Amino acid sequence: MKKFVAVLSAAAMMTSLAACGFTADTANTAASSANTAASAAESTADTAAADSYKVAIVQQLDHASLDEIRVAIEKELDAKAAEKGITIEYKDFNGQNDATTLNQIGTQVVADGYDAIIPIATLAAQCMTTAAESTKTPVIYAAISDPAAADLTDIDYVTGTSDALNTQSIMDMMFAVQPDIQTVGLLYSNSEANSTTPIAEAKAYLDAKGIAYVEKTGNTNDEIMTAASSMVGQVDAVFTPTDNVVMAAAAAVSETLTKGGIPFYTGADSFVTAGAFATCGVNYTELGTYTADMALDILETGVVPAYHVMDGGIITVNTETAAALGIDYSAFNDLAGQVVEVTTAE
């Protein structure tokens, strides 16, 4: 539009100048100068736009793992903005684990013209992907255990980070410190896509060893607590993958199982700081940082890469819970490159 107006102005100048007796060469020179000025103004506007980005951070629900990721994303965006001398304006949204709310957030974010969307957890990622379909606004998800199972692959404007769980490693941990396990409890939400694959893997592992297992599920805090309580006296250990529904009740579940003398093995270190016994997985601060960097690279280059699987293999142990259960976890040193000891957070 700026160029179009400049050309019209130049044409008017040519007519006026010719009427006053100027030559055609003089008029052409004036038109060229006008176009150059318009191009310079347009370039300045483009540069200003490239130095400012709006990012929507959409958290599926409140719990320790997702909070840790969000804080890491925000910290890294702030750091990169200061380092590069640019403005990154971000806003937090929370879906409270409700698909209707998340869809409304997606509609709002797209209508408000955000440059990128960072959804945290699977349901949030699915809703934001649907919302951004018409605009192709980049969606850079965080902490999707199985992007393929969540239908988040092969979409040209969608990518992110995966916290894919090594279920076998956690099962190996169980039997390294509890070789006499007879029955394992599998506690998860059947509405969580994150749990589908690791629960299937856990069953296959236990079937191969001839170990019995008891499945308990729930989709609300109350249902999860009822399921956990019913396992006391029935199982020797409990496994939960990176399940957001269980994570929301992790502190209460951990307390119930520990009082019942049952070690609680989980898919994320935030469960362990909530009171669970142990995990082998990724560092969520590192995951959040990587996700933020990926989002900024996409904003600057326009290139959307394949999703990234974060490195795992870090065993995290709650020393207070280990002491309460009377478990010697020194065998973990032979199973991982790093064993991190934590206590229960307030």
Side-chain angles (χ1 to χ4, degrees), residues 109-132:
V109 164
V110 170
D112 289 346
Y114 280 82
D115 300 304
I117 309 170
I118 304 179
I120 307 174
T122 304
L123 181 59
Q126 292 169 328
C127 293
M128 295 310 108
T129 296
T130 299

Side-chain angles (χ1 to χ4, degrees), residues 165 167 170-171 174 184-188 198-199 202 237-241 263-267:
L165 192 64
T167 308
I170 297 179
M171 296 291 110
M174 279 190 187
V184 173
L186 303 176
L187 177 64
Y188 62 99
I199 288 297
V238 171
F239 167 63
T240 289
F264 187 24
Y265 298 83
T266 65

Side-chain angles (χ1 to χ4, degrees), residues 23-342:
T23 65
D25 286 343
T26 303
N28 287 336
T29 300
S32 176
S33 298
N35 275 323
T36 300
S39 296
E42 192 171 60
S43 176
T44 299
D46 289 343
T47 300
D51 288 344
S52 179
Y53 302 108
K54 285 177 60 179
V55 178
I57 303 172
V58 184
Q59 188 168 325
Q60 182 169 317
L61 73 161
D62 290 313
H63 71 57
S65 292
L66 306 192
D67 292 346
E68 181 180 347
I69 294 167
R70 174 181 50 75
V71 170
I73 290 170
E74 293 172 350
K75 184 177 180 180
E76 183 66 2
L77 290 178
D78 287 339
K80 287 298 183 183
E83 176 188 323
K84 293 175 175 287
I86 61 178
T87 299
I88 303 177
E89 177 187 344
Y90 55 81
K91 184 174 181 179
D92 296 332
F93 300 85
N94 193 306
Q96 302 302 331
N97 209 34
D98 180 75
T100 299
T101 302
L102 286 164
N103 285 328
Q104 290 171 347
I105 290 170
T107 300
Q108 177 187 343
V109 164
V110 170
D112 289 346
Y114 280 82
D115 300 304
I117 309 170
I118 304 179
I120 307 174
T122 304
L123 181 59
Q126 292 169 328
C127 293
M128 295 310 108
T129 296
T130 299
E133 184 176 5
S134 60
T135 59
K136 299 295 188 278
T137 303
V139 175
I140 306 94
Y141 54 72
I144 309 301
S145 297
D146 192 340
D151 296 322
L152 293 170
T153 55
D154 300 322
I155 305 173
D156 58 6
Y157 60 95
V158 177
T159 187
T161 53
S162 172
D163 58 345
L165 192 64
N166 187 331
T167 308
Q168 179 174 331
S169 294
I170 297 179
M171 296 291 110
D172 288 344
M173 287 168 57
M174 279 190 187
F175 289 93
V177 297
Q178 293 178 268
D180 298 326
I181 287 177
Q182 300 297 312
T183 306
V184 173
L186 303 176
L187 177 64
Y188 62 99
S189 168
N190 51 22
S191 66
E192 269 287 307
N194 282 350
S195 295
T196 303
T197 297
I199 288 297
E201 291 171 344
K203 290 178 182 178
Y205 180 103
L206 296 170
D207 285 338
K209 291 181 72 71
I211 302 295
Y213 51 83
V214 173
E215 291 181 75
K216 297 289 182 179
T217 65
N219 290 310
T220 66
N221 276 18
D222 288 344
E223 291 173 355
I224 291 297
M225 283 307 304
T226 298
S229 298
S230 70
M231 287 185 172
V232 176
Q234 292 191 57
V235 302
D236 304 303
V238 171
F239 167 63
T240 289
T242 49
D243 189 299
N244 291 300
V245 177
V246 181
M247 180 62 234
V253 171
S254 299
E255 182 178 5
T256 295
L257 295 178
T258 300
K259 285 182 177 178
I262 302 170
F264 187 24
Y265 298 83
T266 65
D269 56 3
S270 49
F271 281 87
V272 181
T273 56
F277 169 51
T279 187
C280 181
V282 307
N283 181 298
Y284 279 117
T285 295
E286 292 178 2
L287 183 147
T289 301
Y290 194 103
T291 305
D293 288 341
M294 180 179 276
L296 185 55
D297 284 344
I298 291 169
L299 287 171
E300 291 182 326
T301 67
V303 177
V304 179
Y307 73 85
H308 176 77
V309 179
M310 298 297 295
D311 292 332
I314 302 171
I315 290 180
T316 305
V317 182
N318 187 311
T319 55
E320 293 174 340
T321 303
L325 293 168
I327 293 180
D328 175 10
Y329 56 86
S330 58
F332 289 165
N333 293 318
D334 298 326
L335 299 178
Q338 183 181 7
V339 176
V340 177
E341 295 179 328
V342 300

